[in-house]
Amino acid sequence: MKCLLIAYSARSDLATLIPESPMALLPIAGRPLIGYSLMDLKASGIEDVVVVSSEHAEKIRERLGDGEEWGLKLTHTLAVDDETLLHSAFKAKHLLGDRCLVLDVNYLRTPVLRSFLDRTPHNPPNGARGPIVSARIDRQPIGVMGLDMTALSGIQDFSRASTIGDYGHVDLPGRAWRINSPQDLHAANLAAVRGELGPDLPLPALEVSKQVFRGRHSKLPAPATRGQDVFVGRRCHVHPEATLGDSVVLNNDVIVDRRASLERTVVLSGTYIGQLTELKDALVAGDLLMRVDTGAVTRIVDDFLLADTTQPLLGGRLELLLHQLVATLVLVASLPMWPIAALFACLRRPKAPLRKVRIAARPHRSEPGVESYEWAVTAPVLRHLPKLLPVITGRLRLIGVSPLEPDEATARVDEWEYLRDRAPMGLISPTRLMLTPDASSEELRLTEAYYAVTRSLKIDLGLMLKAALALFERRSWQPTAC
């Protein structure tokens, strides 16, 4: 038997709130919703699956591929708007055979497919005359159907297909959650981490303590875990001073900063939770905060509280022109300081007042380093004046992450530390402007990772203003080794 997997649905509250994500790929405890249906299919012995999708079809095809990850053979087809289930089946009947299983992926279920197939081996039960046999739990449909493909030949009006014939119903034990709202998605994630899906659908993580799960390449310090039923997906970073209370699910690529507090909260993939942020009974998707107890939905505009780490980076050409323009203005304003810097450099090192330096390239790329010059003086502001030139020529940004030497790059262990590589190298690092001089190395790395995934035109302009104000601080002129 083959399976028809319906990966499209009518618009729901979630589809309206999170329009860029297909329902089938919404995360449930570190795994896409559709993945649980695929795992149940594999366990039931069905390996040939036709996936029907419409909106976001390319994202679904890219994520699932040909099914190798799941041990299945997947064939992808497209549905038109307002297409019924039976219409989709009729279009794909040459791929399905005389009888097939139909699944709606917008449900999260305990494993029920093997039981359903055992209960409907050949003929529809209860004397059903139509083409569909529907599975139910507690007398509610769960998006599992058996379909007699030979009965489709007599159907003329597919707009009325859902009313044709009599349904046969098979009542099964288990549980099912229809994902149609933020509350549904929140409840399904918490049900998964509580183990309500059963042992046949294990979580994609290691249980590091009782009811506390951690995915691969994630950092979950023990002091941060204060409750049970906690799931941290892949490539997450939780600060040691953060607090994860009871019933918290962090899907993949989530950063929780210091002194943030979460309880009964589900965080979708690619989200930054800022310092001192307190979340209870919430579903968080990037900068979107949904309260599941009141139904309130708020978009947080302060990137220091919540941020979407999957947003496209700042536009390349516009960003480059901005940095070049500001660097040119700074160069013009600093011209009176150049003779002073040259004089002190000649007095300090008469033979080499101006020395060539190489700003390290990213070790994982084939970029050559950026070559520049600096004055042989101890005052940082005067020493780095010549480095404005590579900013003006576009080889360096005025604001950006500090370059890493090869040994520093190879010393990185956690996946989140590589987020900083999404930002260009800069003359002035945001860590110099955001943190105190005695900040720890972990705070430095986290700040640069945060900047890299949240940077925008507004943020860069704000940092440029901070850099201008920093010129009047003592530490900008205090002597340092050169």
Side-chain angles (χ1 to χ4, degrees):
M1 180 181 288
K2 299 181 180 181
C3 176
L4 183 70
L5 200 58
I6 304 298
Y8 62 87
S9 63
R11 300 292 291 178
S12 67
D13 292 343
L14 272 170
T16 303
L17 292 171
I18 315 175
E20 68 279 2
S21 177
M23 295 287 291
L25 298 185
L26 288 174
I28 304 289
R31 181 180 288 128
L33 174 59
I34 195 173
Y36 290 93
S37 292
L38 296 176
M39 292 175 67
D40 199 7
L41 281 169
K42 176 65 176 178
S44 68
I46 297 179
E47 298 184 354
D48 204 336
V49 181
V50 178
V51 181
V52 185
S53 53
S54 55
E55 191 176 13
H56 302 297
E58 286 303 316
K59 289 185 178 180
I60 294 175
R61 183 190 295 266
E62 180 182 357
R63 175 63 183 86
L64 302 183
D66 59 3
E68 181 180 359
E69 175 185 349
W70 315 94
L72 303 172
K73 176 186 176 183
L74 301 185
T75 303
H76 296 268
T77 65
L78 290 174
V80 298
D81 293 339
D82 301 323
E83 183 172 290
T84 65
L85 180 153
L86 291 188
H87 197 177
S88 295
F90 183 79
K91 288 168 54 179
K93 65 180 182 179
H94 63 289
L95 299 171
L96 296 172
D98 294 335
R99 187 169 177 266
C100 73
L101 182 70
V102 180
L103 292 186
D104 183 346
V105 301
N106 297 305
Y107 288 83
L108 178 68
R109 320 169 191 84
T110 54
V112 297
L113 298 187
R114 186 181 297 277
S115 177
F116 178 73
L117 294 175
D118 291 342
R119 296 281 298 276
T120 59
H122 299 293
N123 300 314
N126 303 333
R129 298 184 298 275
I132 300 176
V133 179
S134 175
R136 301 186 304 188
I137 292 177
D138 295 330
R139 303 186 66 82
Q140 297 297 320
I142 59 172
V144 177
M145 291 154 279
L147 185 59
D148 181 3
M149 298 298 294
T150 60
L152 293 181
S153 58
I155 296 178
Q156 301 296 325
D157 185 2
F158 283 102
S159 66
R160 297 179 58 252
S162 60
T163 65
I164 293 176
D166 296 331
Y167 281 74
H169 299 292
V170 174
D171 291 302
L172 302 173
R175 295 195 61 187
W177 298 261
R178 173 150 176 79
I179 312 300
N180 194 56
S181 68
Q183 290 83 352
D184 295 336
L185 185 59
H186 183 271
N189 270 274
L190 296 190
V193 76
R194 289 170 184 157
E196 297 179 20
L197 297 181
D200 293 330
L201 293 177
L203 298 178
L206 175 69
E207 187 172 9
V208 294
S209 60
K210 186 178 180 181
Q211 289 302 107
V212 176
F213 302 87
R214 185 192 67 212
R216 297 179 61 188
H217 306 298
S218 286
K219 184 172 183 179
L220 178 60
T225 307
R226 307 290 179 85
Q228 292 186 339
D229 301 324
V230 174
F231 175 90
V232 175
R234 297 188 301 274
R235 300 178 301 275
C236 294
H237 178 269
V238 179
H239 195 281
E241 296 181 26
T243 300
L244 303 185
D246 290 330
S247 302
V248 173
V249 176
L250 308 181
N251 284 283
N252 303 329
D253 303 297
V254 173
I255 298 175
V256 181
D257 213 336
R258 58 161 39 188
R259 299 175 67 183
S261 175
L262 287 73
E263 187 171 357
R264 298 187 301 277
T265 292
V266 175
V267 183
L268 302 193
S269 301
T271 298
Y272 167 80
I273 308 294
Q275 296 185 29
L276 302 174
T277 303
E278 294 186 8
L279 298 171
K280 289 185 179 180
D281 300 301
L283 175 70
V284 183
D287 57 358
L288 195 67
L289 172 63
M290 293 166 269
R291 290 293 302 271
V292 296
D293 51 349
T294 65
V297 178
T298 307
R299 190 165 299 276
I300 306 300
V301 297
D302 189 346
D303 287 338
F304 288 93
L305 297 178
L306 296 178
D308 185 352
T309 65
T310 64
Q311 288 296 319
L313 298 180
L314 192 61
R317 186 58 183 168
L318 177 61
E319 172 198 8
L320 180 61
L321 290 175
L322 170 67
H323 285 248
Q324 288 177 305
L325 175 61
V326 174
T328 302
L329 295 175
V330 173
L331 177 65
V332 172
S334 67
L335 286 178
M337 291 190 289
W338 284 69
I340 299 174
L343 175 62
F344 280 101
C346 290
L347 292 174
R348 189 170 187 273
R349 290 186 181 176
K351 294 183 178 180
L354 190 65
R355 64 176 185 175
K356 181 181 289 188
V357 294
R358 177 181 173 274
I359 301 175
R362 293 182 179 158
H364 67 289
R365 297 187 179 182
S366 59
E367 301 172 355
V370 177
E371 290 189 349
S372 184
Y373 293 87
E374 62 182 25
W375 293 111
V377 295
T378 57
V381 171
L382 297 178
R383 182 165 71 244
H384 297 302
L385 281 177
K387 293 181 181 176
L388 289 170
L389 299 177
V391 178
I392 294 173
T393 57
R395 293 177 294 146
L396 191 67
R397 298 294 189 272
L398 188 60
I399 303 292
V401 296
S402 57
L404 291 180
E405 296 296 337
D407 57 340
E408 295 177 309
T410 56
R412 294 183 288 184
V413 176
D414 298 319
E415 289 289 326
W416 66 267
E417 295 181 85
Y418 290 87
L419 290 174
R420 70 184 302 284
D421 294 342
R422 297 176 59 186
M425 292 184 298
L427 176 58
I428 303 172
S429 169
T431 58
R432 300 180 187 176
L433 305 172
M434 295 180 179
L435 300 176
T436 59
D438 59 346
S440 66
S441 60
E442 182 173 354
E443 287 179 305
L444 295 174
R445 298 196 306 271
L446 184 59
T447 300
E448 288 205 330
Y450 164 75
Y451 165 76
V453 298
T454 61
R455 57 191 294 266
S456 64
L457 184 61
K458 179 180 177 181
I459 288 176
D460 273 9
L461 286 172
L463 291 174
M464 290 177 188
L465 178 59
K466 282 188 176 183
L469 296 176
L471 292 175
F472 300 95
E473 296 178 1
R474 179 178 297 180
R475 64 174 177 169
S476 299
W477 297 90
Q478 284 180 335
T480 60
C482 64

